[in-house]
Amino acid sequence: GGEALARAMAEGARLCYLRERLAGSGRGLAAAAFSHMGIPTMALDLARLTMDEDPAVIAAAAGREAGLRGAGLVVGEVEQILERGGPAVRAFAEIPWPVVITGTRNWDPAWSREIPLVVDVSLPDPEQRAGLWRTHLDGDTPKDLDPATVMAPFRLGPEQVSRAAVAARLRASFADRPVDPTDLRAGARAQNAAGLER
């Protein structure tokens, strides 16, 4: 995952598009790749872009800032700016600095003159998800509670597991008790209803 992406970027892939099966799962992969390259990650959340902000101005500023910090730039989700048309996406895709764009739909050649490296981001398998839960909840659950078993029905990406674990911990802390299955399920549901297995 991250290592292969880092290698491709080191070999000259300036524009990468991570096609996600689950929104939000690409950012973690991009951050892992930048970490392998020994550089920090600068993430730009397109959902925060207001209608009166010009994508071209924001993209130019982001490219400058990433260059000054020597950081890898990850921009997503592309769906957030599609209604503004091709030029809005092109503003980010053609930043003259290595950039990773994330989104759930197929890459549209109209989005950039440059041909991107397109990578499909798969969801972590159950074993990887179990490892993520254990990492994020280390020591915060009773010995007889296995978060991985409780959370098996929830198909969450790495970032969502992290956020769900934080939400579960906060809920348990508020109630002044260890994390229990109810906290875990509430934390997961709060992330993304679309990520639940039907």
Side-chain angles (χ1 to χ4, degrees), residues 76-91:
E77 311 285 320
V78 75
E79 288 77 16
Q80 300 290 341
I81 55 168
L82 289 184
E83 64 190 43
R84 303 197 199 192
V89 183
R90 266 197 304 278

Side-chain angles (χ1 to χ4, degrees), residues 27 67 89 107 177 186:
R27 193 180 304 175
V89 183
W107 179 262
R177 55 172 169 68

Side-chain angles (χ1 to χ4, degrees), residues 15-122:
L15 174 62
C16 302
Y17 179 64
L18 303 184
R19 186 169 48 206
E20 307 164 323
R21 284 183 52 204
L22 186 66
S25 54
R27 193 180 304 175
L29 177 60
F34 294 136
S35 174
H36 275 292
M37 295 167 76
I39 59 173
T41 299
M42 191 176 125
L44 190 60
D45 182 355
L46 294 178
R48 293 176 178 228
L49 213 60
T50 62
M51 283 315 282
D52 56 351
E53 286 176 310
D54 180 353
V57 172
I58 301 294
R64 266 196 314 277
E65 181 72 15
L68 288 170
R69 287 194 205 175
L73 187 57
V74 55
V75 178
E77 311 285 320
V78 75
E79 288 77 16
Q80 300 290 341
I81 55 168
L82 289 184
E83 64 190 43
R84 303 197 199 192
V89 183
R90 266 197 304 278
F92 293 99
E94 296 184 353
I95 291 172
W97 183 258
V99 62
V100 174
I101 296 179
T102 65
T104 54
R105 58 183 63 199
N106 290 336
W107 179 262
D108 182 338
W111 291 347
S112 175
R113 285 172 292 231
E114 187 154 341
I115 297 167
L117 165 67
V118 176
V119 177
D120 284 312
V121 182
S122 58

Side-chain angles (χ1 to χ4, degrees), residues 96-179:
W97 183 258
V99 62
V100 174
I101 296 179
T102 65
T104 54
R105 58 183 63 199
N106 290 336
W107 179 262
D108 182 338
W111 291 347
S112 175
R113 285 172 292 231
E114 187 154 341
I115 297 167
L117 165 67
V118 176
V119 177
D120 284 312
V121 182
S122 58
L123 285 173
D125 63 36
E127 203 170 311
Q128 290 169 320
R129 277 203 299 273
L132 286 167
W133 281 111
R134 286 189 197 101
T135 302
H136 290 298
L137 289 166
D138 186 38
D140 270 8
T141 55
K143 290 275 175 279
D144 59 347
L145 171 64
D146 178 19
T149 306
V150 176
M151 304 316 291
F154 294 86
R155 293 175 59 221
L156 303 180
E159 199 170 313
Q160 289 172 310
V161 168
S162 169
R163 294 168 67 90
V166 169
R169 282 178 139 145
L170 290 171
R171 196 172 184 269
S173 168
F174 178 74
D176 196 22
R177 55 172 169 68
V179 172

